[in-house]
Amino acid sequence: MRTEQTPDDLPGRAFYKLMTSVVVPRPIAWVSTTSESGVDNLAPHSFFTISCTEPPIVQFTSVGRKDSLRNAEATGEFVVNLASESLQDQVNASATDYPSHVSEFDALDIGREASTTVRPPRVADSPVAVECALHSTLRLGDSTVVFGRVLNVAVDENVLKDDGLPDVTLLRPMARLGRNEWSALGEVRGIDRIPYRP
Ligand SMILES: Cc1cc2nc3c(=O)[nH]c(=O)nc-3n(C[C@H](O)[C@H](O)[C@H](O)COP(=O)(O)O)c2cc1C
C-alpha cells in the first residue's frame, strides 16, 4: 500500500513539505551576492543544480523574493559557494532573515575573499566557489529560478586529486533533506556506466 497525495489534498505549505521530503538529498548552493549599495549577502539555497553543460549554467530557486534574488537581478552577478560540513552552523545561521542592510558575512563573522571574475565575494573557508554572471530568470508561481552563466570555478588546491578534480571526501558537502534534516556525505562507490551491447 502507498499513500497518494495530490496538491489539492495538501494545500499551502504541506505539499511543499512533502516535496522537500521526497526530493532528497539536495546539494546546497551557498549564494553570495552584493547589493547595489554594496552590502555583501549570503544565503543557502537547496533548490540548486546544473542546468546546462555548454555553455555551463547553474540554477538556484528563490521561493519568494529574497535578497539573493534581488541582488542577482540588480547587479547581474552571484557566486555559489560549496556548503561543506565544517561550515554547517554558519550555513544554517546565514538562512536567518536578516534585513537587507545587514551583511551575513559581518553578522556571522564569515571570512570573505575577492572573487576573480565578479564583484560578490567568495566565502574564504569554502573549498569551491562558482562565479556566475546572471543569465536569466524564470518566474514560476511563487518562485523564481535564477540561471547563472559560470565564468570561473575556484577550487582549493588542497582538495584536488591527481586527476585535477576535487576529492569529494575532502569537500565533505552537506545536503538538505526534508523537515529540518540535513545529511553529510555517506559511503562513496565508483560505478562504471555499462555500454549497450546488442
Ligand atoms: C539548507 C537551506 C536551504 C535553503 N534552500 C532554499 C531555497 O532553495 N530557496 C529559498 O528561497 N530559500 C531557501 N532557504 C531559505 C533561505 O536561505 C532564507 O530564506 C534566507 O533568509 C534567504 O536569505 P536572503 O534574503 O539573504 O536571500 C534555505 C535554507 C536552508 C537552511
Side-chain angles (χ1 to χ4, degrees):
M1 288 287 284
R2 296 169 184 253
T3 63
E4 316 232 5
Q5 287 162 324
T6 70
D8 291 336
D9 298 329
L10 289 177
R13 284 182 64 83
F15 205 79
Y16 164 85
K17 285 186 175 177
L18 175 61
M19 292 301 293
T20 52
S21 296
V22 298
V23 181
V24 287
R26 297 184 305 284
I28 300 169
W30 204 12
V31 177
S32 47
T33 52
T34 301
S35 73
E36 274 183 307
S37 58
V39 179
D40 292 331
N41 193 86
L42 188 61
H45 290 77
S46 71
F47 294 4
F48 164 61
T49 192
I50 299 172
S51 347
C52 181
T53 59
E54 187 51 52
I57 293 174
V58 294
Q59 68 181 77
F60 71 90
T61 295
S62 181
V63 180
R65 291 196 62 78
K66 300 179 178 176
D67 291 340
S68 306
L69 169 64
R70 275 190 288 270
N71 294 346
E73 284 181 336
T75 65
E77 296 181 331
F78 65 92
V79 177
V80 174
N81 302 274
L82 188 130
S84 46
E85 211 173 317
S86 60
L87 301 169
Q88 183 179 7
D89 290 343
Q90 290 176 312
V91 174
N92 188 44
S94 73
T96 298
D97 53 348
Y98 289 99
S100 306
H101 65 274
V102 175
S103 168
E104 287 82 1
F105 282 97
D106 296 331
L108 300 168
D109 204 18
I110 295 172
R112 69 195 109 179
E113 65 180 30
S115 293
T116 304
T117 59
V118 294
R119 183 170 176 214
R122 314 196 279 234
V123 174
D125 285 342
S126 171
V128 177
V130 180
E131 300 173 3
C132 300
L134 184 68
H135 175 277
S136 55
T137 58
L138 176 63
R139 277 291 299 272
L140 296 170
D142 68 354
S143 299
T144 304
V145 189
V146 180
F147 296 98
R149 173 88 181 247
V150 178
L151 302 180
N152 183 43
V153 179
V155 184
D156 180 345
E157 57 188 23
N158 293 314
V159 302
L160 294 177
K161 280 179 138 171
D162 290 344
D163 64 2
L165 295 172
D167 180 340
V168 74
T169 64
L170 298 177
L171 292 180
R172 307 286 321 156
M174 294 301 302
R176 191 77 166 94
L177 309 173
R179 306 181 184 81
N180 64 346
E181 299 162 346
W182 301 50
S183 66
L185 189 67
E187 179 193 358
V188 178
R189 299 181 199 169
I191 302 177
D192 292 327
R193 289 275 284 273
I194 304 165
Y196 176 66
R197 285 202 193 88

